[in-house]
Amino acid sequence: MSDGQGYYGGAGGHGGVPQPDPYPQGVPHSNPYGHGGVPQPNPYAQGIPQPNPYAQPVPAPRGTPYPQPVPAQFVPPQPVAAYPAPAVPQSVRAPAPPGTDYPGPAPRRSRTGVLVQFTLQWIYAPLWIAALVSLFVILLWTGASGPTGSDSWLKVNRTFIPPRRLKAELTGRPDVWERYLTPILERRIREAEARHAAGDGEVGDDLARTMRVKFSVRLYRGIGAAGVVRLAERYGWEGGSVGGDPDRVWIRRVFPAPPRVPAPGPQDPPAAPGTPWGPRPGRFALLLPLMFVLQIVYVPVYGVLSLLAFWVTHHEPDYWERWGARWTVGPRAFWAELSGSAAAWDRHIRRILARDTRRKPGSAGAALPARIRINLATYRGAGAQQVLRIAAEQGYALDPAYIPEPEACVRLYRPDQG
């Protein structure tokens, strides 16, 4: 009977003859599922990629039934600037001067020499200022013209070392020099932009005006001219030409031409009194003689105060003209303003125009100046439009490079000399 292992006494049961191992070790055997006993490849072997039976064929473009593979081309990376310059509007940015090379930091000064100068300046600076005041009084008393040539001997501040620069000179660190120079640069840029608003600047062919600011090496010794230009670019300015002086560096900014503002022409009807282009109200008649006498005293006083503060620059380049138009009266304008006569004002305007358009001495063929300025004190009782009428006789017109401000001055332009 069967015991679960085959028939009793059979070949596969207990007590039977052992059967040979159909899969002996070390002896290759044939695949029982193969054909003819030939070994078949393993269909589950790893490492052999099989085609995807569900892959969709990629249609070839028309006209190219057998497209050829295009080898990929290597594109080298483009260099990127480590510190890109801040963007400045093209309308106010001029091209950099060709061949400009800004030097780096200048050699450091001796610490001993810096300390000696810082100590002695508190003694010689007051004596220097007192000597300048005495010289001015002597020149004013004698009527002499004074020394000619360079005025560098007047600049006491050039030899003065403030405490903040003393630290920069002693340490020599670029970051300390930058902290010292930054407020100075900001102040000078503000003053230059204020002077531009008041009418200063070099007028170009496109009526744009260029402002320039100069710095001496004593202000930027530790960072060099290149450091000054880098700081100026933060405020929309750029480096100018270093010129032939290695101890100076210039920065500049080009301001675009102002927009056109409507203004009356020489042939237009006269402007009404009290309007910007019409006659201005005259000053009190009894006050004019008093002002004429007192100005003999306070004008020299103003000159002395200006000498004592000669290192202080005003925000307006025409500060004296604007101030003097209110508190002084010229000897030629005295009768015109006192009488209020239109003919007297016309004669005064013509005298000032003849003075400002006078040819240079010794150059008979010199051209007339292209741009002149007439202050309010010249045409107060006649009006700014009357200046345009009289100036048109000599070929002058209202200057388009400036915004008209008839309450203070009239700027004239001669196109054939521009």
Side-chain angles (χ1 to χ4, degrees):
M1 55 185 296
S2 174
D3 56 359
Q5 301 291 331
Y7 292 99
Y8 181 80
H14 295 282
V17 180
Q19 300 296 322
D21 186 4
Y23 306 104
Q25 301 295 327
V27 181
H29 58 277
S30 60
N31 187 355
Y33 303 99
H35 300 282
V38 180
Q40 301 296 320
N42 184 5
Y44 305 99
Q46 302 294 327
I48 302 177
Q50 301 296 326
N52 185 3
Y54 304 102
Q56 299 296 328
V58 180
R62 294 184 179 181
T64 56
Y66 302 99
Q68 299 296 329
V70 179
Q73 297 182 358
F74 173 73
V75 179
Q78 300 296 328
V80 180
Y83 300 97
V88 178
Q90 294 298 326
S91 60
V92 299
R93 186 177 179 88
T100 301
D101 186 16
Y102 303 107
R108 291 183 57 183
R109 295 182 57 190
S110 170
R111 294 186 177 182
T112 303
V114 171
L115 291 175
V116 170
Q117 180 180 350
F118 181 78
T119 303
L120 296 181
Q121 69 185 5
W122 306 102
I123 302 175
Y124 68 75
L127 297 177
W128 194 339
I129 296 175
L132 292 178
V133 174
S134 302
L135 178 62
F136 178 79
V137 173
I138 294 175
L139 294 177
L140 187 64
W141 181 264
T142 59
S145 59
T148 59
S150 175
D151 60 346
S152 59
W153 56 278
L154 293 171
K155 309 297 183 179
V156 183
N157 59 314
R158 293 183 179 180
T159 63
F160 198 84
I161 302 179
R164 291 192 304 112
R165 197 171 91 210
L166 176 65
K167 179 180 179 181
E169 292 277 9
L170 295 179
T171 60
R173 293 168 47 186
D175 57 332
V176 179
W177 274 102
E178 184 172 335
R179 287 196 300 268
Y180 165 70
L181 176 62
T182 298
I184 300 176
L185 183 138
E186 292 177 350
R187 186 187 73 248
R188 294 192 178 184
I189 286 180
R190 287 195 304 267
E191 293 175 352
E193 293 176 350
R195 293 199 308 271
H196 168 266
D200 198 5
E202 179 183 349
V203 182
D205 296 336
D206 57 350
L207 301 181
R209 282 185 285 156
T210 302
M211 297 298 301
R212 290 181 172 87
V213 178
K214 181 179 67 174
F215 292 89
S216 301
V217 69
R218 68 178 187 274
L219 302 177
Y220 62 86
R221 183 182 303 276
I223 60 176
V228 178
V229 175
R230 176 175 53 84
L231 292 177
E233 289 177 348
R234 300 178 183 177
Y235 303 91
W237 288 60
E238 62 183 2
S241 176
V242 294
D245 191 351
D247 295 338
R248 301 288 189 275
V249 63
W250 291 82
I251 61 175
R252 66 176 183 175
R253 181 175 179 181
V254 181
F255 293 85
R260 294 299 180 91
V261 178
Q267 306 302 328
D268 292 344
T275 59
W277 292 94
R280 310 294 295 177
R283 291 175 288 190
F284 188 48
L286 297 180
L287 182 63
L288 290 177
L290 181 62
M291 293 175 56
F292 185 79
V293 174
L294 291 180
Q295 69 185 6
I296 301 176
V297 177
Y298 63 71
V299 169
V301 171
Y302 175 82
V304 173
L305 295 178
S306 300
L307 179 63
L308 294 178
F310 53 81
W311 57 84
V312 180
T313 58
H314 300 290
H315 291 286
E316 299 178 353
D318 58 343
Y319 180 83
W320 171 253
E321 287 81 2
R322 291 173 181 259
W323 181 81
R326 296 187 181 100
W327 301 104
T328 60
V329 54
R332 294 184 176 181
F334 177 78
W335 174 249
E337 188 168 359
L338 183 64
S339 63
S341 172
W345 279 112
D346 287 355
R347 288 195 300 269
H348 182 53
I349 294 174
R350 294 181 186 277
R351 282 195 298 262
I352 299 301
L353 281 174
R355 182 198 66 184
D356 293 345
T357 59
R358 187 178 303 135
R359 299 177 186 270
K360 297 180 180 179
S363 55
L368 295 174
R371 287 178 167 86
I372 58 177
R373 167 186 169 148
I374 306 299
N375 294 320
L376 173 64
T378 304
Y379 60 86
R380 181 189 300 273
Q385 188 179 5
Q386 185 65 14
V387 177
L388 298 181
R389 289 195 182 96
I390 298 176
E393 300 173 0
Q394 303 184 24
Y396 282 91
L398 194 64
D399 197 339
Y402 301 88
I403 298 178
E405 45 178 353
E407 300 88 350
C409 65
V410 175
R411 300 180 183 272
L412 301 174
Y413 168 69
R414 190 179 176 95
D416 57 348
Q417 300 294 339

